[in-house]
Amino acid sequence: MFDFSIVTTWFDSLLRDTLGLGSFLSVLIECVLVGLFILIAYALLAIVLIFMERKVCAYFQCRLGPMRVGPWGVFQVFADVVKMLIKEIFFVDKADKLLYAIAPFLVLIGSVGAFAFMPWNKGAHILDFNLGVFLLTAISSIGVVGIFLAGWSSNNKYSVVSAMRGAVQLISYEMSLCLCLITAVVLTGTMQLSGIIEAQENGWLIFRGHIPAIIAFIVFLIAGNAEANRGPFDLAEAESELTAGYHTEYSGMGFGFFYLAEYLNMFIIAGLAATIFLGGWMPLHIAGLDGFNAVMDYIPGIVWFLAKAFLIVWIMLWIKWSFPRLRIDQILKLEWKYLMPLALLNLVIMTLVVAFGLHF
């Protein structure tokens, strides 16, 4: 398995020693390059996910999806991006101008900040703190503030109702999401994402942790769907009731930021599930089968990570286009009466499994 830290260490020594740029300029150049990578990867993944959802949705509904712009409609998303870039950005007369303008950036900041924690390959992680799981959940929660401010500042009754729904739903399902992450932390003994992946070298967590790990994975997917505001949990954007929801009064790239963040939040949930429960960039290793493990190591880590993440994205799309939208009372009942008690009980069981050494 190739360690990407070899490349980053070489590039750092190139800037500092060979070119003699000094510590400040070297760090500045590295930060700029990392920022460009995040933005480019963010934009490319958003394009792929938008096109993927349209085609998967069409498949489930027995139709073709976008077919006119480019072969098989591959350039349709690019046409939509150009259209969105040239659309006029307007402000609502009686809106709170400052909060109205800040809200899309808060949603985007929360999404980009969480995206920076994704471990693409061994040694290829931008942010990897020893409290990575805690920081990831903290940064991603910034988006809730942006959603609530967008609805409240628009001075639109439909947007206000949507913002209240969105805030209540996201705050509620964060409980189950965090409990599932804590369950994984208990089993691996670390909150550092790279450490969690390394702990799965001889078996992914979903296999090593017995039934509690499988339950945590399923609850994580359900809560993750709600956190990403995906169907059947998309009550904040119920078009039949609230037009476009909390971003009804936004146009141009103001609306585009919300659109981008929604799709990338879906990838972040999928990438986090792949990292925590399916080993991230770690190949499939089976203890005792050294030949099989050696063959699996030839597949690059980034291929493993993206394959696992997009498999979970496909499952999330499958769920969205298979189930009808729930009511807000049904969503909250599912969380507070079923998922959170189940996640709490599952955490206690996992603690007992680790304490008595019953895991693989």
Side-chain angles (χ1 to χ4, degrees):
M1 178 61 64
F2 177 72
D3 190 347
F4 200 78
S5 61
I6 298 173
V7 177
T8 56
T9 303
W10 168 81
F11 185 75
D12 183 68
S13 63
L14 174 68
L15 295 177
R16 294 173 185 266
D17 303 330
T18 307
L19 300 180
L21 296 180
S23 178
F24 176 77
L25 284 178
S26 299
V27 172
L28 179 63
I29 292 173
E30 291 167 2
C31 289
V32 170
L33 292 177
V34 166
L36 287 174
F37 169 79
I38 292 176
L39 294 177
I40 292 172
Y42 193 92
L44 290 178
L45 279 172
I47 290 172
V48 171
L49 290 170
I50 292 171
F51 182 76
M52 181 179 175
E53 171 153 51
R54 289 175 172 176
K55 287 298 184 180
V56 171
C57 167
Y59 173 78
F60 275 101
Q61 297 175 352
C62 298
R63 54 188 180 84
L64 298 177
M67 294 291 291
R68 294 181 179 274
V69 186
W72 213 54
V74 294
F75 297 127
Q76 179 65 55
V77 180
F78 295 94
D80 292 339
V81 170
V82 173
K83 179 195 74 172
M84 194 166 291
L85 286 172
I86 63 177
K87 287 181 75 72
E88 179 185 1
I89 299 176
F90 60 84
F91 288 88
V92 182
D93 289 338
K94 296 183 179 181
D96 188 313
K97 297 292 193 295
L98 178 61
L99 299 181
Y100 179 86
I102 289 176
F105 292 98
L106 288 177
V107 173
L108 201 65
I109 287 171
S111 180
V112 172
F115 184 71
F117 280 87
M118 293 293 101
W120 301 90
N121 200 353
K122 185 177 183 179
H125 37 250
I126 297 167
L127 298 177
D128 187 37
F129 300 106
N130 58 348
L131 295 175
V133 172
F134 174 78
L135 287 173
L136 174 61
T137 54
I139 292 174
S140 62
S141 63
I142 296 174
V144 181
V145 180
I147 288 174
F148 187 77
L149 289 182
W152 186 82
S153 64
S154 295
N155 195 33
N156 180 306
K157 59 184 179 182
Y158 299 114
S159 297
V160 171
V161 172
S162 170
M164 293 174 64
R165 283 184 179 182
V168 169
Q169 175 180 317
L170 296 181
I171 292 172
S172 297
Y173 277 86
E174 277 182 359
M175 303 290 291
S176 295
L177 205 67
C178 292
L179 287 171
C180 294
L181 293 178
I182 295 173
T183 303
V185 169
V186 168
L187 179 58
T188 57
T190 178
M191 295 183 71
Q192 190 168 1
L193 291 177
S194 61
I196 292 175
I197 296 175
E198 294 289 349
Q200 302 178 67
E201 182 177 3
N202 295 320
W204 298 343
L205 189 148
I206 195 172
F207 303 127
R208 290 181 55 231
H210 292 298
I211 295 176
I214 297 175
I215 293 174
F217 178 64
I218 294 173
V219 173
F220 186 91
L221 286 184
I222 297 173
N225 254 317
E227 278 291 297
N229 202 24
R230 304 289 300 171
F233 302 95
D234 53 342
L235 255 294
E237 301 174 19
E239 295 87 354
S240 58
E241 307 168 23
L242 305 173
T243 57
Y246 52 87
H247 46 62
T248 298
E249 301 294 351
Y250 285 88
S251 65
M253 285 310 298
F255 171 79
F257 285 168
F258 289 107
Y259 198 61
L260 279 174
E262 179 179 335
Y263 278 96
L264 264 296
N265 286 339
M266 176 173 63
F267 181 82
I268 290 166
I269 293 295
L272 191 57
T275 299
I276 299 295
F277 297 99
L278 301 179
W281 47 260
M282 185 67 68
L284 177 61
H285 287 166
I286 301 176
L289 299 180
D290 296 335
F292 175 81
N293 297 340
V295 172
M296 293 295 101
D297 286 339
Y298 281 110
I299 302 175
I302 189 171
V303 175
W304 280 106
F305 174 73
L306 289 176
K308 296 171 186 176
F310 275 101
L311 173 63
I312 296 175
V313 166
W314 187 82
I315 293 174
M316 294 173 73
L317 294 177
W318 186 4
I319 293 171
K320 174 176 179 177
W321 297 108
S322 298
F323 294 97
R325 182 182 291 131
L326 301 175
R327 298 195 311 264
I328 187 64
D329 62 312
Q330 293 172 330
I331 287 178
L332 296 181
K333 180 187 290 187
L334 175 64
E335 165 61 13
W336 293 105
K337 286 191 175 183
Y338 300 103
L339 289 186
M340 195 180 73
L342 177 61
L344 276 170
L345 177 61
N346 193 56
L347 176 58
V348 173
I349 296 174
M350 178 62 81
T351 305
L352 295 175
V353 167
V354 173
F356 290 99
L358 301 177
H359 58 85
F360 293 111

